[in-house]
Amino acid sequence: MTEPAYVAVDWGTSSFRLWLIGKDGGVLAERRSGEGMTTAARTGFAEVLNSHLSAIAAPAGLPVLICGMAGAKQGWVEAGYLDTPAALLDIPAAAVRIPGVEADIRILPGLAQRDPAAPDVIRGEETQLLGAAAELGNGDHLVCMPGTHSKWVRLSGGRVEGFSTFMTGELFDAIAKNTILSHSIAEAGPVSGRSDAFRAAVSRMMKSPALATCQLFSVRAGALIAGLSPDDAKARLSGTLIGLEIAGALSLVAEGTPVALVVSGGLGTLYGEALAAAGLVPVVIDADTAVRNGLAAGAKALWSL
């Protein structure tokens, strides 16, 4: 059995994922929990990390590389940001070491876009980008990373030229729970990307994004006078918001720029179908694999592993 080489950690706001990586690059052990930044800020970041290291019997003194919200201002130690444009390969060198601990524990920085007209930040997704870069190769790419706050990153030759955050997931939740549309979707199940209502809503937003708020109200009107079912109403709401996001992201790049989708779980199917409805065939990269590969690239750069 290969010897352990380092520990990789993806520490989100509400989630914690840890991998013990061997000298051959394989995963020797894995831990997942809900002890994200919010929980760890109360219980102690060192305590959370050490409990998981103990659970997998990780050898003492292994280097640990962390990405995500552990490096936020409210996290363990603030890791700051690299300003864009930025080369992905410059990310590991800017990692911040945790002071006052015996082991070499470092947190990767995020990325910042300091354009006064479009200020933006990324924390965690930069490591997915670093891991996905090998699959994408050189050239120009538009990389979509769906989530509560979806990130669309403009890559060129291994450099992040800029990026945009879309609050689609949070808006969907707020609208679905706190507006008049809540009555129309109250009995709906999960949204299917293969729904005709979903795909049609995406297509409408690609053609006429300026009509977004009008299309949102059509969810209510359709339920009242056009026989729109709760499932189709929810699909129309989702398709309108995701279609608006895609239209916005595409407006920032040259026509024909290749699109990559870095995602795991159910959002992968939803965004894949939405991009298809928009006439796009993205390269799909698993987000879990991308973050592990990004942490591996960081560990290799920092410790020559």
Side-chain angles (χ1 to χ4, degrees):
M1 183 176 177
T2 185
E3 295 180 31
Y6 67 97
V7 175
V9 179
D10 179 12
W11 213 325
T13 301
S14 58
S15 65
F16 175 93
R17 298 184 295 174
L18 176 150
W19 299 274
L20 178 64
I21 307 298
K23 290 186 176 179
D24 64 354
V27 176
L28 303 180
E30 180 178 349
R31 297 280 294 178
R32 294 175 182 249
S33 80
E35 297 164 295
M37 178 192 70
T38 304
T39 298
R42 296 193 301 267
T43 60
F45 287 89
E47 288 77 8
V48 171
L49 176 62
N50 288 334
S51 71
H52 287 281
L53 293 176
S54 177
I56 60 172
L62 277 182
V64 179
L65 187 59
I66 301 170
C67 70
M69 295 304 291
K73 185 174 292 187
Q74 299 80 18
W76 193 352
V77 171
E78 187 173 8
Y81 300 98
L82 284 182
D83 289 351
T84 57
L88 290 172
L89 294 178
D90 288 343
I91 292 172
V96 173
R97 186 166 180 174
I98 301 294
V101 297
E102 186 174 345
D104 189 351
I105 304 175
R106 307 195 194 194
I107 304 178
L108 294 171
L111 298 176
Q113 181 172 278
R114 300 189 187 274
D115 177 356
D120 214 331
V121 292
I122 275 179
R123 189 173 295 283
E125 291 89 356
E126 77 292 324
T127 307
Q128 292 182 17
L129 288 168
L130 183 59
E135 294 189 49
L136 295 176
N138 291 323
D140 294 341
H141 299 274
L142 179 61
V143 183
C144 171
M145 292 178 284
T148 302
H149 300 151
S150 297
K151 308 290 183 179
W152 289 74
V153 182
R154 302 181 290 282
L155 289 180
S156 181
R159 289 175 60 84
V160 176
E161 299 297 337
F163 57 93
S164 302
T165 300
F166 293 81
M167 292 177 59
T168 304
E170 188 168 357
L171 283 173
F172 177 87
D173 187 65
I175 292 170
K177 293 178 178 177
N178 300 302
T179 73
I180 193 70
L181 303 191
S182 63
H183 303 295
S184 302
I185 66 174
E187 299 176 3
V191 174
S192 169
R194 296 181 176 87
S195 158
D196 289 341
F198 176 83
R199 294 173 65 90
V202 172
S203 296
R204 280 194 292 270
M205 285 301 92
M206 295 303 301
K207 294 175 183 175
S208 304
L211 295 178
T213 55
C214 174
Q215 285 299 310
L216 288 175
F217 188 75
S218 77
V219 173
R220 175 62 174 165
L224 288 173
I225 64 173
L228 192 67
S229 70
D231 283 344
D232 283 349
K234 190 174 182 180
R236 179 179 290 191
L237 170 59
S238 177
T240 297
L241 292 174
I242 293 177
L244 183 63
E245 174 186 323
I246 295 172
L250 292 179
S251 73
L252 300 172
V253 296
E255 186 174 351
T257 300
V259 175
L261 181 60
V262 180
V263 68
S264 296
L267 278 179
T269 299
L270 200 61
Y271 271 75
E273 293 291 342
L275 288 167
L280 299 169
V281 182
V283 173
V284 180
I285 298 172
D286 180 74
D288 284 353
T289 301
V291 76
R292 286 200 307 272
N293 288 344
L295 287 163
K300 182 177 180 181
L302 287 169
W303 300 305
S304 301
L305 298 172

mmCIF file with all atom_site columns, all heavy atoms in Angstrom, residues 244-269:
data_model
loop_
_atom_site.group_PDB
_atom_site.id
_atom_site.type_symbol
_atom_site.label_atom_id
_atom_site.label_alt_id
_atom_site.label_comp_id
_atom_site.label_asym_id
_atom_site.label_entity_id
_atom_site.label_seq_id
_atom_site.pdbx_PDB_ins_code
_atom_site.Cartn_x
_atom_site.Cartn_y
_atom_site.Cartn_z
_atom_site.occupancy
_atom_site.B_iso_or_equiv
_atom_site.pdbx_formal_charge
_atom_site.auth_seq_id
_atom_site.auth_comp_id
_atom_site.auth_asym_id
_atom_site.auth_atom_id
_atom_site.pdbx_PDB_model_num
ATOM 1   N N   . LEU A 1 244 ? -31.671 33.290 -18.196 1.00 0.00 ? 244 LEU A N   1
ATOM 2   C CA  . LEU A 1 244 ? -31.189 34.668 -18.057 1.00 0.00 ? 244 LEU A CA  1
ATOM 3   C C   . LEU A 1 244 ? -29.711 34.676 -17.688 1.00 0.00 ? 244 LEU A C   1
ATOM 4   O O   . LEU A 1 244 ? -28.927 35.494 -18.192 1.00 0.00 ? 244 LEU A O   1
ATOM 5   C CB  . LEU A 1 244 ? -32.010 35.381 -16.984 1.00 0.00 ? 244 LEU A CB  1
ATOM 6   C CG  . LEU A 1 244 ? -31.708 36.857 -16.737 1.00 0.00 ? 244 LEU A CG  1
ATOM 7   C CD1 . LEU A 1 244 ? -32.015 37.682 -17.976 1.00 0.00 ? 244 LEU A CD1 1
ATOM 8   C CD2 . LEU A 1 244 ? -32.514 37.367 -15.548 1.00 0.00 ? 244 LEU A CD2 1
ATOM 9   N N   . GLU A 1 245 ? -29.302 33.759 -16.810 1.00 0.00 ? 245 GLU A N   1
ATOM 10  C CA  . GLU A 1 245 ? -27.891 33.635 -16.426 1.00 0.00 ? 245 GLU A CA  1
ATOM 11  C C   . GLU A 1 245 ? -27.020 33.295 -17.635 1.00 0.00 ? 245 GLU A C   1
ATOM 12  O O   . GLU A 1 245 ? -25.972 33.919 -17.853 1.00 0.00 ? 245 GLU A O   1
ATOM 13  C CB  . GLU A 1 245 ? -27.763 32.535 -15.368 1.00 0.00 ? 245 GLU A CB  1
ATOM 14  C CG  . GLU A 1 245 ? -26.333 32.200 -14.983 1.00 0.00 ? 245 GLU A CG  1
ATOM 15  C CD  . GLU A 1 245 ? -26.270 31.013 -14.035 1.00 0.00 ? 245 GLU A CD  1
ATOM 16  O OE1 . GLU A 1 245 ? -27.157 30.878 -13.170 1.00 0.00 ? 245 GLU A OE1 1
ATOM 17  O OE2 . GLU A 1 245 ? -25.314 30.216 -14.146 1.00 0.00 ? 245 GLU A OE2 1
ATOM 18  N N   . ILE A 1 246 ? -27.442 32.314 -18.413 1.00 0.00 ? 246 ILE A N   1
ATOM 19  C CA  . ILE A 1 246 ? -26.657 31.907 -19.581 1.00 0.00 ? 246 ILE A CA  1
ATOM 20  C C   . ILE A 1 246 ? -26.554 33.040 -20.589 1.00 0.00 ? 246 ILE A C   1
ATOM 21  O O   . ILE A 1 246 ? -25.480 33.315 -21.142 1.00 0.00 ? 246 ILE A O   1
ATOM 22  C CB  . ILE A 1 246 ? -27.270 30.649 -20.229 1.00 0.00 ? 246 ILE A CB  1
ATOM 23  C CG1 . ILE A 1 246 ? -27.174 29.459 -19.266 1.00 0.00 ? 246 ILE A CG1 1
ATOM 24  C CG2 . ILE A 1 246 ? -26.572 30.320 -21.551 1.00 0.00 ? 246 ILE A CG2 1
ATOM 25  C CD1 . ILE A 1 246 ? -27.923 28.225 -19.735 1.00 0.00 ? 246 ILE A CD1 1
ATOM 26  N N   . ALA A 1 247 ? -27.671 33.717 -20.829 1.00 0.00 ? 247 ALA A N   1
ATOM 27  C CA  . ALA A 1 247 ? -27.655 34.847 -21.771 1.00 0.00 ? 247 ALA A CA  1
ATOM 28  C C   . ALA A 1 247 ? -26.687 35.923 -21.307 1.00 0.00 ? 247 ALA A C   1
ATOM 29  O O   . ALA A 1 247 ? -25.930 36.498 -22.107 1.00 0.00 ? 247 ALA A O   1
ATOM 30  C CB  . ALA A 1 247 ? -29.061 35.420 -21.919 1.00 0.00 ? 247 ALA A CB  1
ATOM 31  N N   . GLY A 1 248 ? -26.674 36.209 -20.013 1.00 0.00 ? 248 GLY A N   1
ATOM 32  C CA  . GLY A 1 248 ? -25.764 37.213 -19.480 1.00 0.00 ? 248 GLY A CA  1
ATOM 33  C C   . GLY A 1 248 ? -24.315 36.812 -19.626 1.00 0.00 ? 248 GLY A C   1
ATOM 34  O O   . GLY A 1 248 ? -23.460 37.616 -20.030 1.00 0.00 ? 248 GLY A O   1
ATOM 35  N N   . ALA A 1 249 ? -24.005 35.551 -19.314 1.00 0.00 ? 249 ALA A N   1
ATOM 36  C CA  . ALA A 1 249 ? -22.624 35.080 -19.391 1.00 0.00 ? 249 ALA A CA  1
ATOM 37  C C   . ALA A 1 249 ? -22.111 35.096 -20.830 1.00 0.00 ? 249 ALA A C   1
ATOM 38  O O   . ALA A 1 249 ? -20.977 35.496 -21.090 1.00 0.00 ? 249 ALA A O   1
ATOM 39  C CB  . ALA A 1 249 ? -22.522 33.679 -18.803 1.00 0.00 ? 249 ALA A CB  1
ATOM 40  N N   . LEU A 1 250 ? -22.944 34.663 -21.768 1.00 0.00 ? 250 LEU A N   1
ATOM 41  C CA  . LEU A 1 250 ? -22.514 34.616 -23.177 1.00 0.00 ? 250 LEU A CA  1
ATOM 42  C C   . LEU A 1 250 ? -22.312 36.008 -23.755 1.00 0.00 ? 250 LEU A C   1
ATOM 43  O O   . LEU A 1 250 ? -21.538 36.188 -24.692 1.00 0.00 ? 250 LEU A O   1
ATOM 44  C CB  . LEU A 1 250 ? -23.541 33.846 -24.004 1.00 0.00 ? 250 LEU A CB  1
ATOM 45  C CG  . LEU A 1 250 ? -23.662 32.351 -23.727 1.00 0.00 ? 250 LEU A CG  1
ATOM 46  C CD1 . LEU A 1 250 ? -24.734 31.740 -24.620 1.00 0.00 ? 250 LEU A CD1 1
ATOM 47  C CD2 . LEU A 1 250 ? -22.336 31.642 -23.951 1.00 0.00 ? 250 LEU A CD2 1
ATOM 48  N N   . SER A 1 251 ? -22.991 36.998 -23.174 1.00 0.00 ? 251 SER A N   1
ATOM 49  C CA  . SER A 1 251 ? -22.848 38.365 -23.693 1.00 0.00 ? 251 SER A CA  1
ATOM 50  C C   . SER A 1 251 ? -21.467 38.947 -23.425 1.00 0.00 ? 251 SER A C   1
ATOM 51  O O   . SER A 1 251 ? -21.098 39.964 -24.001 1.00 0.00 ? 251 SER A O   1
ATOM 52  C CB  . SER A 1 251 ? -23.921 39.276 -23.073 1.00 0.00 ? 251 SER A CB  1
ATOM 53  O OG  . SER A 1 251 ? -23.628 39.554 -21.704 1.00 0.00 ? 251 SER A OG  1
ATOM 54  N N   . LEU A 1 252 ? -20.680 38.282 -22.562 1.00 0.00 ? 252 LEU A N   1
ATOM 55  C CA  . LEU A 1 252 ? -19.379 38.804 -22.162 1.00 0.00 ? 252 LEU A CA  1
ATOM 56  C C   . LEU A 1 252 ? -18.215 38.185 -22.921 1.00 0.00 ? 252 LEU A C   1
ATOM 57  O O   . LEU A 1 252 ? -17.058 38.515 -22.665 1.00 0.00 ? 252 LEU A O   1
ATOM 58  C CB  . LEU A 1 252 ? -19.175 38.577 -20.653 1.00 0.00 ? 252 LEU A CB  1
ATOM 59  C CG  . LEU A 1 252 ? -20.210 39.260 -19.742 1.00 0.00 ? 252 LEU A CG  1
ATOM 60  C CD1 . LEU A 1 252 ? -20.022 38.810 -18.307 1.00 0.00 ? 252 LEU A CD1 1
ATOM 61  C CD2 . LEU A 1 252 ? -20.099 40.771 -19.859 1.00 0.00 ? 252 LEU A CD2 1
ATOM 62  N N   . VAL A 1 253 ? -18.505 37.243 -23.837 1.00 0.00 ? 253 VAL A N   1
ATOM 63  C CA  . VAL A 1 253 ? -17.430 36.589 -24.594 1.00 0.00 ? 253 VAL A CA  1
ATOM 64  C C   . VAL A 1 253 ? -17.759 36.627 -26.080 1.00 0.00 ? 253 VAL A C   1
ATOM 65  O O   . VAL A 1 253 ? -18.898 36.892 -26.484 1.00 0.00 ? 253 VAL A O   1
ATOM 66  C CB  . VAL A 1 253 ? -17.242 35.122 -24.156 1.00 0.00 ? 253 VAL A CB  1
ATOM 67  C CG1 . VAL A 1 253 ? -16.783 35.042 -22.700 1.00 0.00 ? 253 VAL A CG1 1
ATOM 68  C CG2 . VAL A 1 253 ? -18.513 34.309 -24.358 1.00 0.00 ? 253 VAL A CG2 1
ATOM 69  N N   . ALA A 1 254 ? -16.741 36.342 -26.885 1.00 0.00 ? 254 ALA A N   1
ATOM 70  C CA  . ALA A 1 254 ? -16.938 36.296 -28.328 1.00 0.00 ? 254 ALA A CA  1
ATOM 71  C C   . ALA A 1 254 ? -17.822 35.110 -28.690 1.00 0.00 ? 254 ALA A C   1
ATOM 72  O O   . ALA A 1 254 ? -17.749 34.045 -28.062 1.00 0.00 ? 254 ALA A O   1
ATOM 73  C CB  . ALA A 1 254 ? -15.595 36.187 -29.031 1.00 0.00 ? 254 ALA A CB  1
ATOM 74  N N   . GLU A 1 255 ? -18.643 35.287 -29.701 1.00 0.00 ? 255 GLU A N   1
ATOM 75  C CA  . GLU A 1 255 ? -19.496 34.196 -30.170 1.00 0.00 ? 255 GLU A CA  1
ATOM 76  C C   . GLU A 1 255 ? -18.636 33.012 -30.582 1.00 0.00 ? 255 GLU A C   1
ATOM 77  O O   . GLU A 1 255 ? -17.622 33.156 -31.240 1.00 0.00 ? 255 GLU A O   1
ATOM 78  C CB  . GLU A 1 255 ? -20.348 34.669 -31.356 1.00 0.00 ? 255 GLU A CB  1
ATOM 79  C CG  . GLU A 1 255 ? -21.371 33.644 -31.812 1.00 0.00 ? 255 GLU A CG  1
ATOM 80  C CD  . GLU A 1 255 ? -22.294 34.173 -32.895 1.00 0.00 ? 255 GLU A CD  1
ATOM 81  O OE1 . GLU A 1 255 ? -22.239 35.396 -33.174 1.00 0.00 ? 255 GLU A OE1 1
ATOM 82  O OE2 . GLU A 1 255 ? -23.064 33.379 -33.460 1.00 0.00 ? 255 GLU A OE2 1
ATOM 83  N N   . GLY A 1 256 ? -19.054 31.825 -30.170 1.00 0.00 ? 256 GLY A N   1
ATOM 84  C CA  . GLY A 1 256 ? -18.314 30.620 -30.510 1.00 0.00 ? 256 GLY A CA  1
ATOM 85  C C   . GLY A 1 256 ? -17.278 30.201 -29.486 1.00 0.00 ? 256 GLY A C   1
ATOM 86  O O   . GLY A 1 256 ? -16.620 29.170 -29.655 1.00 0.00 ? 256 GLY A O   1
ATOM 87  N N   . THR A 1 257 ? -17.109 30.973 -28.410 1.00 0.00 ? 257 THR A N   1
ATOM 88  C CA  . THR A 1 257 ? -16.169 30.587 -27.354 1.00 0.00 ? 257 THR A CA  1
ATOM 89  C C   . THR A 1 257 ? -16.609 29.255 -26.748 1.00 0.00 ? 257 THR A C   1
ATOM 90  O O   . THR A 1 257 ? -17.766 29.118 -26.340 1.00 0.00 ? 257 THR A O   1
ATOM 91  C CB  . THR A 1 257 ? -16.105 31.659 -26.252 1.00 0.00 ? 257 THR A CB  1
ATOM 92  O OG1 . THR A 1 257 ? -15.672 32.894 -26.814 1.00 0.00 ? 257 THR A OG1 1
ATOM 93  C CG2 . THR A 1 257 ? -15.142 31.235 -25.143 1.00 0.00 ? 257 THR A CG2 1
ATOM 94  N N   . PRO A 1 258 ? -15.713 28.263 -26.667 1.00 0.00 ? 258 PRO A N   1
ATOM 95  C CA  . PRO A 1 258 ? -16.095 26.968 -26.094 1.00 0.00 ? 258 PRO A CA  1
ATOM 96  C C   . PRO A 1 258 ? -16.523 27.108 -24.630 1.00 0.00 ? 258 PRO A C   1
ATOM 97  O O   . PRO A 1 258 ? -15.929 27.880 -23.871 1.00 0.00 ? 258 PRO A O   1
ATOM 98  C CB  . PRO A 1 258 ? -14.815 26.136 -26.201 1.00 0.00 ? 258 PRO A CB  1
ATOM 99  C CG  . PRO A 1 258 ? -13.984 26.809 -27.241 1.00 0.00 ? 258 PRO A CG  1
ATOM 100 C CD  . PRO A 1 258 ? -14.320 28.258 -27.150 1.00 0.00 ? 258 PRO A CD  1
ATOM 101 N N   . VAL A 1 259 ? -17.548 26.339 -24.260 1.00 0.00 ? 259 VAL A N   1
ATOM 102 C CA  . VAL A 1 259 ? -18.088 26.384 -22.901 1.00 0.00 ? 259 VAL A CA  1
ATOM 103 C C   . VAL A 1 259 ? -17.767 25.077 -22.186 1.00 0.00 ? 259 VAL A C   1
ATOM 104 O O   . VAL A 1 259 ? -17.920 23.988 -22.749 1.00 0.00 ? 259 VAL A O   1
ATOM 105 C CB  . VAL A 1 259 ? -19.607 26.618 -22.916 1.00 0.00 ? 259 VAL A CB  1
ATOM 106 C CG1 . VAL A 1 259 ? -20.186 26.538 -21.501 1.00 0.00 ? 259 VAL A CG1 1
ATOM 107 C CG2 . VAL A 1 259 ? -19.929 27.974 -23.545 1.00 0.00 ? 259 VAL A CG2 1
ATOM 108 N N   . ALA A 1 260 ? -17.310 25.192 -20.944 1.00 0.00 ? 260 ALA A N   1
ATOM 109 C CA  . ALA A 1 260 ? -17.089 24.027 -20.089 1.00 0.00 ? 260 ALA A CA  1
ATOM 110 C C   . ALA A 1 260 ? -18.015 24.124 -18.887 1.00 0.00 ? 260 ALA A C   1
ATOM 111 O O   . ALA A 1 260 ? -18.282 25.213 -18.379 1.00 0.00 ? 260 ALA A O   1
ATOM 112 C CB  . ALA A 1 260 ? -15.637 23.956 -19.637 1.00 0.00 ? 260 ALA A CB  1
ATOM 113 N N   . LEU A 1 261 ? -18.486 22.972 -18.440 1.00 0.00 ? 261 LEU A N   1
ATOM 114 C CA  . LEU A 1 261 ? -19.395 22.900 -17.300 1.00 0.00 ? 261 LEU A CA  1
ATOM 115 C C   . LEU A 1 261 ? -18.721 22.075 -16.215 1.00 0.00 ? 261 LEU A C   1
ATOM 116 O O   . LEU A 1 261 ? -18.500 20.879 -16.376 1.00 0.00 ? 261 LEU A O   1
ATOM 117 C CB  . LEU A 1 261 ? -20.717 22.257 -17.739 1.00 0.00 ? 261 LEU A CB  1
ATOM 118 C CG  . LEU A 1 261 ? -21.833 22.091 -16.701 1.00 0.00 ? 261 LEU A CG  1
ATOM 119 C CD1 . LEU A 1 261 ? -22.264 23.424 -16.131 1.00 0.00 ? 261 LEU A CD1 1
ATOM 120 C CD2 . LEU A 1 261 ? -23.021 21.362 -17.330 1.00 0.00 ? 261 LEU A CD2 1
ATOM 121 N N   . VAL A 1 262 ? -18.362 22.728 -15.111 1.00 0.00 ? 262 VAL A N   1
ATOM 122 C CA  . VAL A 1 262 ? -17.709 22.049 -13.988 1.00 0.00 ? 262 VAL A CA  1
ATOM 123 C C   . VAL A 1 262 ? -18.751 21.904 -12.889 1.00 0.00 ? 262 VAL A C   1
ATOM 124 O O   . VAL A 1 262 ? -19.121 22.886 -12.237 1.00 0.00 ? 262 VAL A O   1
ATOM 125 C CB  . VAL A 1 262 ? -16.479 22.845 -13.497 1.00 0.00 ? 262 VAL A CB  1
ATOM 126 C CG1 . VAL A 1 262 ? -15.806 22.118 -12.330 1.00 0.00 ? 262 VAL A CG1 1
ATOM 127 C CG2 . VAL A 1 262 ? -15.486 23.056 -14.629 1.00 0.00 ? 262 VAL A CG2 1
ATOM 128 N N   . VAL A 1 263 ? -19.213 20.685 -12.664 1.00 0.00 ? 263 VAL A N   1
ATOM 129 C CA  . VAL A 1 263 ? -20.380 20.504 -11.798 1.00 0.00 ? 263 VAL A CA  1
ATOM 130 C C   . VAL A 1 263 ? -20.474 19.060 -11.341 1.00 0.00 ? 263 VAL A C   1
ATOM 131 O O   . VAL A 1 263 ? -19.947 18.158 -11.995 1.00 0.00 ? 263 VAL A O   1
ATOM 132 C CB  . VAL A 1 263 ? -21.659 20.916 -12.573 1.00 0.00 ? 263 VAL A CB  1
ATOM 133 C CG1 . VAL A 1 263 ? -21.943 19.945 -13.698 1.00 0.00 ? 263 VAL A CG1 1
ATOM 134 C CG2 . VAL A 1 263 ? -22.859 21.057 -11.664 1.00 0.00 ? 263 VAL A CG2 1
ATOM 135 N N   . SER A 1 264 ? -21.127 18.856 -10.205 1.00 0.00 ? 264 SER A N   1
ATOM 136 C CA  . SER A 1 264 ? -21.450 17.514 -9.719  1.00 0.00 ? 264 SER A CA  1
ATOM 137 C C   . SER A 1 264 ? -22.908 17.486 -9.275  1.00 0.00 ? 264 SER A C   1
ATOM 138 O O   . SER A 1 264 ? -23.480 18.519 -8.928  1.00 0.00 ? 264 SER A O   1
ATOM 139 C CB  . SER A 1 264 ? -20.549 17.134 -8.534  1.00 0.00 ? 264 SER A CB  1
ATOM 140 O OG  . SER A 1 264 ? -19.199 17.050 -8.915  1.00 0.00 ? 264 SER A OG  1
ATOM 141 N N   . GLY A 1 265 ? -23.510 16.309 -9.290  1.00 0.00 ? 265 GLY A N   1
ATOM 142 C CA  . GLY A 1 265 ? -24.859 16.157 -8.766  1.00 0.00 ? 265 GLY A CA  1
ATOM 143 C C   . GLY A 1 265 ? -25.944 16.617 -9.725  1.00 0.00 ? 265 GLY A C   1
ATOM 144 O O   . GLY A 1 265 ? -25.727 16.772 -10.932 1.00 0.00 ? 265 GLY A O   1
ATOM 145 N N   . GLY A 1 266 ? -27.129 16.876 -9.142  1.00 0.00 ? 266 GLY A N   1
ATOM 146 C CA  . GLY A 1 266 ? -28.307 17.200 -9.937  1.00 0.00 ? 266 GLY A CA  1
ATOM 147 C C   . GLY A 1 266 ? -28.189 18.461 -10.755 1.00 0.00 ? 266 GLY A C   1
ATOM 148 O O   . GLY A 1 266 ? -28.810 18.579 -11.827 1.00 0.00 ? 266 GLY A O   1
ATOM 149 N N   . LEU A 1 267 ? -27.414 19.431 -10.289 1.00 0.00 ? 267 LEU A N   1
ATOM 150 C CA  . LEU A 1 267 ? -27.246 20.657 -11.070 1.00 0.00 ? 267 LEU A CA  1
ATOM 151 C C   . LEU A 1 267 ? -26.583 20.390 -12.410 1.00 0.00 ? 267 LEU A C   1
ATOM 152 O O   . LEU A 1 267 ? -26.771 21.151 -13.357 1.00 0.00 ? 267 LEU A O   1
ATOM 153 C CB  . LEU A 1 267 ? -26.421 21.685 -10.278 1.00 0.00 ? 267 LEU A CB  1
ATOM 154 C CG  . LEU A 1 267 ? -27.163 22.523 -9.243  1.00 0.00 ? 267 LEU A CG  1
ATOM 155 C CD1 . LEU A 1 267 ? -26.193 23.458 -8.532  1.00 0.00 ? 267 LEU A CD1 1
ATOM 156 C CD2 . LEU A 1 267 ? -28.289 23.317 -9.876  1.00 0.00 ? 267 LEU A CD2 1
ATOM 157 N N   . GLY A 1 268 ? -25.796 19.321 -12.484 1.00 0.00 ? 268 GLY A N   1
ATOM 158 C CA  . GLY A 1 268 ? -25.146 18.995 -13.749 1.00 0.00 ? 268 GLY A CA  1
ATOM 159 C C   . GLY A 1 268 ? -26.152 18.707 -14.839 1.00 0.00 ? 268 GLY A C   1
ATOM 160 O O   . GLY A 1 268 ? -26.037 19.202 -15.963 1.00 0.00 ? 268 GLY A O   1
ATOM 161 N N   . THR A 1 269 ? -27.172 17.907 -14.503 1.00 0.00 ? 269 THR A N   1
ATOM 162 C CA  . THR A 1 269 ? -28.217 17.590 -15.481 1.00 0.00 ? 269 THR A CA  1
ATOM 163 C C   . THR A 1 269 ? -29.009 18.841 -15.849 1.00 0.00 ? 269 THR A C   1
ATOM 164 O O   . THR A 1 269 ? -29.296 19.096 -17.030 1.00 0.00 ? 269 THR A O   1
ATOM 165 C CB  . THR A 1 269 ? -29.164 16.525 -14.910 1.00 0.00 ? 269 THR A CB  1
ATOM 166 O OG1 . THR A 1 269 ? -28.421 15.340 -14.626 1.00 0.00 ? 269 THR A OG1 1
ATOM 167 C CG2 . THR A 1 269 ? -30.265 16.192 -15.906 1.00 0.00 ? 269 THR A CG2 1
#
